[in-house]
Amino acid sequence: SPTPKRAPVGTSDGGYAALAKDATTRKDLIITGALLCAVSMLRGAYNIILPMTCLAMGLPPAEVSTYMTVAYGTTGALSYSAGHILDIAGLRPCFVVAMVLYSIGHGSLAVASMVEPGSVALGAVAVSAAALGVADAICGPLAFSAKGAA
C-alpha cells in the first residue's frame, strides 16, 4: 500500500513532533544522526591527528604546516566539485568514498608513524594529507545535504 502523504513540517498538524512519532522516520533520523556523528568525528580528528603525528615523527613545524596546507588546500579546491558530484551520485556512494579515503588517510598516518623517518614516511604523510583533504572535501557538502534531507 502506498505511504500516506504527510503535511509539511511545521504546520498545525504537529510538525516535528508528529514526524518523531512515526517509527520509520525516527529510525531514519537515528541512522542519519549516527552517520553525521561519525563523519563529524573523522573530520575533526584529522585536524588534530595529522599535525600531532608529524610532530611526533620529529618533523620541523614548517613541514607540518606544509602537510596541513596540502590537506586544507585540497579540501578548499575540491569542495565545490564534491558538492556537484554529490548532487549527481547521491549521498550513499559519496559517503562510502569518503569513509574509504578517511581509512586510507588515517592508515597511511599509522604507517608513517611506524617506519623510520625518511622518504617512505614523508610519502605516507603526503598521501595521508591528500586523502584526508579529499575526504573532507566530500564530507563538507555531504553533511549539509544529509542534515537537510533529515
Side-chain angles (χ1 to χ4, degrees):
S1 70
T3 58
K5 296 276 184 189
R6 294 185 194 156
V9 174
T11 58
S12 61
D13 73 334
Y16 289 111
L19 283 176
K21 290 179 183 176
D22 182 24
T24 305
T25 303
R26 198 168 43 243
K27 179 184 170 195
D28 290 342
L29 288 173
I30 290 170
I31 290 171
T32 303
L35 292 176
L36 287 175
C37 182
V39 167
S40 296
M41 285 190 295
L42 288 172
R43 288 183 78 191
Y46 99 87
N47 291 313
I48 298 167
I49 293 173
L50 182 60
M52 294 304 283
T53 304
C54 290
L55 291 172
M57 291 171 53
L59 297 177
E63 283 187 45
V64 175
S65 65
T66 301
Y67 290 123
M68 292 305 293
T69 301
V70 168
Y72 293 142
T74 306
T75 299
L78 298 178
S79 288
Y80 181 76
S81 301
H84 184 68
I85 291 170
L86 181 73
D87 291 338
I88 294 170
L91 293 175
R92 286 188 185 184
C94 290
F95 179 78
V96 170
V97 169
M99 292 302 109
V100 168
L101 287 170
Y102 273 127
S103 299
I104 290 169
H106 289 294
S108 61
L109 266 182
V111 167
S113 66
M114 287 189 269
V115 298
E116 290 294 321
S119 61
V120 173
L122 296 180
V125 172
V127 166
S128 174
L132 291 171
V134 173
D136 193 33
I138 294 170
C139 283
L142 178 77
F144 287 119
S145 296
K147 287 177 187 173

